[in-house]
Amino acid sequence: MKLGLVLGYWFADPPTGVAEQIATAEELGFDSVWSAEAYGSDCFTPLAWYGAATSRVRLGTAVCQMAARTPVATAMSALTLDHLTGGRFILGLGASGPQVVEGWYGQPYPRPLARTREYVDVVRQVLAREEPVTIDGEHFQLPNTGEGTTGLGKALKSITHPRRTDLPIYLGAEGPKNVALSAEIADGWLPMFMSPGLDPHYRECLEEGWARPGARRGPDDFEVANLVQVVIDDDVEKAADAVRMSLGFYIGGMGAREVNFHADLFSRMGYADDVARIQDLFLGGRKEEAIASVPLALVEDVALVGPPDKVREDLTRWRETCITTLLVAGPPPQMRLLADLVRG
């Protein structure tokens, strides 16, 4: 199992200590470093800035929100960063949810799977640079000669030659259909809140995608890079509290009651009653109660919490899953400890 460092997205201010974290990742032989974006900082700029101080680790977005950019703009950023990093870039893409897509980016959300398929198609055309980029899809049209245009649009090829025509694309996905789509059209999958208990279910989804005509990859060359929160503390409940904060936010507030993919995921794990309670509390303005009500069993299903010996033992379950890379976060001392625990 490989290790990756997650930088995440920024909150009120840029995070501190990132340069030291990245230097430690290179020193410890981490495979990758990942940035993110929500509705604040972007995902490409930090990788360009910090990537200049690295020479070996791969640099990926987990994830670049598709609604934030046209597919051609995303492809331009990807091929640019791939050149600047000497062929170390990974493009991780995600659809986000309707609140962010329609509320922040002002783009329509319906039919995200069809939109993802078209989006990836355009990105791959740009990177292949075999022909001028064209698509006559439901969501994207290149050239765009429709109503309100001049009619002068011309199909173009990138004037910059991509360093790699097969630059890897991973998809962030939670639902079964989206996971299967990842296996069909992408080079890797970026799960969120994956549980070892759902591994058989996810393997079925992946197998469905790999079996589709024209699938790019198979089980032997497909990457699964999963973020797992790790909190080391002799007090298990205290360690779990740090994870409860994010879980309560994603279950209760990251999406509407009617459409919350994170809440749906935890319901599939068997926590439907807990999810309903957390949402009621969070949406009712009782956020602290919502966070405190996240059960320990749910925390331990998706995170590693407790003293080092417990984390080492719990890691056994994760090694048996389809995960190929464990994505973690933390200061250099914790990174060193995690490297020891994961590598035995």
Side-chain angles (χ1 to χ4, degrees), residues 99 251-261 263-264 275-284:
Q99 285 190 324
I251 294 171
M254 205 64 164
R257 186 188 297 275
E258 300 82 6
V259 182
N260 184 324
F261 303 118
D264 293 344
V275 165
R277 182 183 66 254
I278 293 166
Q279 282 189 317
D280 286 342
L281 290 169
F282 200 98
L283 296 175

Side-chain angles (χ1 to χ4, degrees), residues 17 75 92 135 142-143 218 222-223 245 249 269 318:
I135 186 170
L142 290 173
F222 188 82
E223 294 286 339
M245 185 175 299
F249 174 71
M269 290 183 193
W318 294 93

Side-chain angles (χ1 to χ4, degrees), residues 1 7 23 38 43 50 82 84 88 92 98 122 147-148 161 183 221 229 253 269 278 284 296 302 304 312 329 343:
M1 184 180 289
L7 304 179
C43 61
Y50 294 121
D82 204 44
L84 292 175
R88 293 183 286 133
V122 173
E147 183 178 352
H161 292 232
D221 60 355
Q229 284 186 270
M269 290 183 193
I278 293 166
L296 177 62
V302 297
L304 293 163
R312 180 184 291 108
R343 295 167 181 166

Side-chain angles (χ1 to χ4, degrees), residues 108-159:
Y109 185 77
R111 296 182 57 78
L113 269 69
R115 183 177 291 105
T116 299
R117 186 182 292 276
E118 291 183 17
Y119 199 103
V120 172
D121 177 20
V122 173
V123 171
R124 291 210 187 277
Q125 286 190 56
V126 173
L127 296 175
R129 203 180 174 274
E130 294 174 348
E131 301 287 345
V133 179
T134 61
I135 186 170
D136 184 18
E138 176 186 357
H139 304 281
F140 302 102
Q141 297 81 39
L142 290 173
N144 187 348
T145 57
E147 183 178 352
T149 69
T150 64
L152 301 176
K154 179 182 178 181
L156 301 169
K157 286 199 299 185
S158 170
I159 60 174

